Amino acid sequence: MHILHPITLLLSLSFVSLLNVNYAAVGSGDSPNGESPFTPKASLVRYWNKEIHTVLPKSGFFISKASPLSPVDLATFAKLASQNALSAQLPAFCSSAKLFCFPDLSPSLEKHDHDSHFAIYNNKNFTNYGTDRAGGADSFKNYSDGDNIPVDSFRRYGRDAAGHGETFSNYAPESNVVDQSFNTYGAGATGGTGEFKGYNVEVNNPNLRFASYSDSANGKAQKFSTYTENANAGPGQAFTSYGKNGNGAPNDFSGYGTGSNVIGSDFTNYGETANGANDTFKSYGFDGNVPQNNFMSYGDGGNAGVDSFATYREKSNVGDDSFQSYAKNSNAEKANFANYGKSFNEGTDKFSGYGNGAMGQQIGFKIYGVNTTFKDYANKKSVTFAGYTSASTADASMKVTSDSVVKNNKWIEPGKFFRESMLKKGSVMPMPDIRDKMPKRSFLPRSIISKLPFSTSKIDQLKEIFHAIDNSSMERIILDALDECERSPSPGETKRCVGSAEDMIDFATSVLGRNVAVRTTDNVNGSKKNIMIGSIKGINGGRVTRSVSCHQSLYPYLLYYCHSVPKVRVYEADLLDPNSKATINHGVAICHLDTSSWSPTHGSFLALGSGPGRIEVCHWIFENDMTWTIAEA
C-alpha cells in the first residue's frame, strides 16, 4: 500500500478543495465574495488589483460599470463577435450586455378605421394610417411621454384624406434620444388641418424626419407650435420635399426651436412648384444656442406664394444658416425677413442663388444682423434691406458685451462654471443639473470589444452590427462618437476613447502611474438648486497637479472620452442644504488653471464674462463622469 508524504497529502487536499470551490462558483454563481470568478466583474476586480497599486479601497462606483454578462453569455457573444455574427443576435446581446440599441420596429398591421385618440402610446410603426379618411380628427396626446428612447415611425399618414384633422399634443416630451419619422405625411390630402403642439418639448438629442410632407395637398393647413422647445443637442429636424406641388396650403411655424441648444434644421425642396403657398415662420430659433439651419431649394418654381420669417433666430448665440437656391424660378413670390439674426454672438449666414431666375419677386430684409455674403443682391431693385448691419459699419449699439451675455445667456446653466474663489466653506452657489441624461449602459468585456471595429473606415460593419440604417439616428450617433474619438488632440492634450474598464485603467495609469484613485460626485442631490459648501479638501494638498478626466459619449456600449488635463487643482467638498445645513452630497470639482487654448466661444467664458488664458475655470464632476488623480492616503 502506497502512503502519501504528509506534505503531498496536504497539497492534494488543498487542490481538491480549490476544485470544489470553483465548481460551486460556476454551478451556483456563488463564491467567497458572492461573485462567480468567471464574470466580467470578477475579472475587472482582478485586473484592478494587478494594475493599481494603492492602499485605498477599490472604487465600487467604477466596478459597478463592468459588463453584467454571465459567464455563459460572455463566451457565447465573444464567439459571435469573432465570427462577425453579432448582428443576428443583436436584441439578445443588447439586453444581456445592457447596451443602448434602438428596437427594430416591424410594420404595424393594426387597423384604425375610425377617429382615434391615442393617449399613453409609444414605440409604434404605423404603416398605413388614416389613408382616404374623410372628415373627423385624430388626436395623439401623451404619445411616448417621458420614454427614454422613443422610436416612432409613421408611413403613409393621412394620404388622400379629405377634411381630416390631426393633432399631436405632448408628443414625446422630456424624452431622451428621440427618433421619429413621418413619410408621406398628408400627401394628396384636401382641406383639414394638422397641428403639432408641444412636440418634443425639452427632449435630449432629437432626430425628427419629415419626408414628403403635404406634397400635392390642396388647402390643407399645417401648424407647428412649441416644436422642439428647449431641446438639447442632436441634428433636430429635417423636412424633405415639404409642400411640393401644394395648392393654397398655409403653413404656420410658431415657437419653432425656441430656447434650444445646438439643434439643426434642414428644409429641402420646401414649397417646390407650389401654388399660392402661404408659409409663416414666427419666432424661429428664438433664443437658441448654436443653431444650425439649412434651407435648400426653398420655394423653387413657386407661384404667387408668400413666405415670411419673423424674429428669425433672434437673440441666438453663434450658429450657422445657409439659404441656397431660395425662390429660384418663382413667379410673383414675396419673401420677407423681419428681425433676422440679431444674435448675442454673430454666426455665419450664407445666401446663394437667392431669387435666381425669378419674376416679379419681392424680397425684404428688416433689422438684419451682420452678414457679408449678399454681394449678388446689392444692386437688385427687388431686394430691400432695412436696418441691415454690415460687418464694417456695425456700431457700438449692435455689439453685445460679455456682461450682457452673462446676464442673458440662458444656455449656460447657473453654476455650470465657476471661479476657484467660490470653493470655500460657507459659500452658497447654484448647482447645475448634474444628472446623467445618457441611456444606461455598461462597459463591454475586452474579449468582445477587441473583436469589434471602431473606426470611420469600418462604418459599414458597425452599421450592420448595430442595425443602423442609412440616415438613422443610430448611424449619426456612431459617426459622431467616432469623429470625436478620431479628432486630433488639442495642444498639450493626451486623449483616448475607451469602451472597456480595463482600457480606462490602462490609460489612467499610463498618464499618472499606478498609485491612482478615481473620483466622482456621490449623487445628484442639490441639482438645479442652491447648495452651500461645507468642509472642503484639496486633493494632493491643493497643489497644482494633473488628472485624467473621463466623460461619457453616446454610443451603443458605455464609451468614455478620456483625456489628460495638465495644470489643474481637484477638490472634494461636502455639499450642504443652505437652510438646514445638512449634508446632502459629496462633490468633486476640478479647476482648470490654463485656459489659453480654449475657444473664445466656450460656454465658460459666456458664463463668466472673460476669455482664453485670462481666468481659471472650475466645474463639478457630473453623475457617471469621473476624474483620476494620484492617490493619497
Side-chain angles (χ1 to χ4, degrees):
M1 181 178 180
H2 180 68
I3 299 177
L4 292 175
H5 189 278
I7 294 179
T8 304
L9 178 61
L10 179 61
L11 291 174
S12 299
L13 290 174
S14 299
F15 180 67
V16 172
S17 176
L18 180 61
L19 285 177
N20 289 338
V21 169
N22 283 345
Y23 179 79
V26 174
S28 65
D30 294 328
S31 68
N33 62 358
E35 186 77 40
S36 165
F38 302 110
T39 63
K41 181 177 180 180
S43 177
L44 174 57
V45 169
R46 291 193 296 271
Y47 198 81
W48 177 289
N49 292 336
K50 173 175 172 286
E51 298 296 329
I52 296 180
H53 302 166
T54 177
V55 297
L56 298 178
K58 288 181 287 293
S59 169
F61 158 77
F62 182 72
I63 299 298
S64 70
K65 299 188 179 303
S67 173
L69 287 172
S70 68
V72 173
D73 285 342
L74 174 59
T76 299
F77 291 123
K79 183 177 180 180
L80 288 172
S82 66
Q83 297 171 343
N84 296 320
L86 271 178
S87 177
Q89 298 295 325
L90 182 64
F93 180 48
C94 291
S95 176
S96 299
K98 197 177 176 182
L99 308 185
F100 158 56
C101 303
F102 284 124
D104 294 328
L105 293 184
S106 59
S108 172
L109 301 178
E110 295 182 63
K111 298 290 186 181
H112 298 281
D113 298 325
H114 305 287
D115 293 344
S116 300
H117 302 284
F118 294 97
I120 315 176
Y121 213 71
N122 64 335
N123 290 345
K124 286 290 181 179
N125 180 353
F126 289 93
T127 307
N128 193 0
Y129 188 93
T131 299
D132 296 321
R133 188 72 59 80
D138 292 320
S139 172
F140 289 81
K141 187 176 183 180
N142 297 331
Y143 191 96
S144 292
D145 189 358
D147 193 16
N148 186 44
I149 309 171
V151 181
D152 305 311
S153 175
F154 287 84
R155 301 178 65 87
R156 292 176 64 103
Y157 187 97
R159 189 183 186 94
D160 297 325
H164 188 70
E166 305 93 28
T167 300
F168 287 83
S169 145
N170 290 328
Y171 191 99
E174 300 183 19
S175 296
N176 187 37
V177 195
V178 178
D179 186 271
Q180 292 158 351
S181 62
F182 286 82
N183 294 328
T184 64
Y185 184 98
T190 299
T193 60
E195 181 177 9
F196 288 81
K197 184 178 182 180
Y199 189 92
N200 281 276
V201 174
E202 296 187 359
V203 300
N204 186 45
N205 218 348
N207 186 21
L208 315 173
R209 301 178 301 282
F210 286 83
S212 264
Y213 190 95
S214 288
D215 282 8
S216 301
N218 183 43
K220 185 175 179 72
Q222 304 286 356
K223 183 178 181 180
F224 288 81
S225 59
T226 58
Y227 188 95
T228 61
E229 182 177 2
N230 294 327
N232 179 53
Q237 303 83 223
F239 288 84
T240 306
S241 189
Y242 188 104
K244 183 177 181 180
N245 298 324
N247 181 48
N251 297 300
D252 183 4
F253 287 82
S254 175
Y256 187 99
T258 300
S260 293
N261 180 47
V262 199
I263 292 292
S265 297
D266 189 357
F267 286 82
T268 306
N269 292 328
Y270 187 99
E272 184 179 6
T273 62
N275 181 49
N278 187 353
D279 301 322
T280 301
F281 287 83
K282 186 178 181 181
S283 189
Y284 186 99
F286 180 84
D287 217 11
N289 185 41
V290 197
Q292 308 289 322
N293 304 312
N294 180 24
F295 287 80
M296 179 178 284
S297 192
Y298 188 104
D300 282 11
N303 180 51
V306 178
D307 298 315
S308 175
F309 286 81
T311 62
Y312 185 95
R313 54 164 287 161
E314 184 186 7
K315 295 186 178 179
S316 292
N317 178 48
V318 199
D320 302 290
D321 295 312
S322 176
F323 283 80
Q324 297 183 50
S325 189
Y326 189 97
K328 182 179 180 181
N329 296 324
S330 61
N331 180 48
E333 290 276 305
K334 294 182 179 179
N336 183 41
F337 287 83
N339 207 350
Y340 184 101
K342 282 300 181 184
S343 305
F344 277 125
N345 288 298
E346 300 297 342
T348 62
D349 298 316
K350 181 179 180 182
F351 282 70
S352 59
Y354 192 93
N356 284 357
M359 296 179 62
Q361 93 179 154
Q362 297 179 33
I363 301 174
F365 288 89
K366 186 178 182 180
I367 318 179
Y368 192 94
V370 173
N371 185 279
T372 59
T373 64
F374 276 93
K375 295 179 181 179
D376 293 342
Y377 315 108
N379 298 318
K380 288 189 176 183
K381 295 182 180 179
S382 60
V383 181
T384 302
F385 294 96
Y388 176 83
T389 307
S390 68
S392 60
T393 60
D395 57 30
S397 64
M398 297 305 303
K399 300 292 185 181
V400 180
T401 65
S402 60
D403 288 341
S404 65
V405 171
V406 173
K407 292 177 182 178
N408 296 289
N409 194 342
K410 62 165 289 180
W411 315 288
I412 309 302
E413 193 177 4
K416 185 172 183 178
F417 302 104
F418 51 90
R419 302 293 300 272
E420 194 173 14
S421 59
M422 290 296 295
L423 288 172
K424 60 183 179 182
K425 189 171 184 178
S427 291
V428 175
M429 59 191 298
M431 170 72 85
D433 186 358
I434 66 169
R435 294 175 299 172
D436 176 15
K437 295 183 175 65
M438 292 279 191
K440 303 302 181 186
R441 298 155 297 157
S442 293
F443 280 126
L444 279 180
R446 265 187 172 171
S447 58
I448 294 178
I449 203 170
S450 62
K451 299 177 177 66
L452 298 181
F454 190 80
S455 167
T456 50
S457 65
K458 305 288 186 181
I459 184 60
D460 289 341
Q461 292 176 244
L462 283 166
K463 288 170 63 177
E464 180 183 356
I465 292 170
F466 294 110
H467 295 186
I469 62 175
D470 292 345
N471 302 314
S472 66
S473 289
M474 184 56 75
E475 179 190 43
R476 178 183 53 79
I477 287 167
I478 292 172
L479 283 171
D480 285 351
L482 292 175
D483 287 344
E484 178 64 11
C485 291
E486 293 176 357
R487 173 187 61 79
S488 299
S490 303
E493 180 188 40
T494 303
K495 60 187 278 285
R496 183 180 178 186
C497 286
V498 297
S500 76
E502 292 85 353
D503 286 343
M504 185 181 288
I505 290 174
D506 286 352
F507 180 71
T509 54
S510 70
V511 174
L512 302 172
R514 294 192 172 190
N515 181 32
V516 293
V518 58
R519 294 179 168 84
T520 190
T521 299
D522 275 5
N523 54 60
V524 298
N525 294 340
S527 288
K528 304 177 72 172
K529 299 177 181 178
N530 283 338
I531 51 98
M532 176 180 284
I533 304 297
S535 298
I536 186 167
K537 173 187 176 183
I539 302 304
N540 297 323
R543 295 184 297 274
V544 176
T545 183
R546 67 184 312 176
S547 69
V548 169
S549 288
C550 295
H551 315 280
Q552 283 191 84
S553 294
L554 185 58
Y555 203 72
Y557 50 79
L558 186 57
L559 180 72
Y560 278 90
Y561 175 95
C562 293
H563 60 133
S564 65
V565 186
K567 297 183 180 179
V568 298
R569 276 192 281 263
V570 180
Y571 295 91
E572 288 186 342
D574 288 331
L575 307 182
L576 316 179
D577 181 288
N579 298 318
S580 68
K581 307 299 188 294
T583 301
I584 59 173
N585 204 341
H586 188 74
V588 176
I590 184 169
C591 292
H592 300 264
L593 306 182
D594 182 3
T595 60
S596 58
S597 64
W598 293 18
S599 167
T601 59
H602 192 280
S604 60
F605 303 133
L606 296 179
L608 302 175
S610 188
R614 295 168 55 192
I615 60 170
E616 85 295 339
V617 173
C618 305
H619 62 85
W620 298 106
I621 300 297
F622 283 24
E623 181 185 21
N624 285 323
D625 285 349
M626 63 192 86
T627 189
W628 295 76
T629 63
I630 297 173
E632 57 182 9

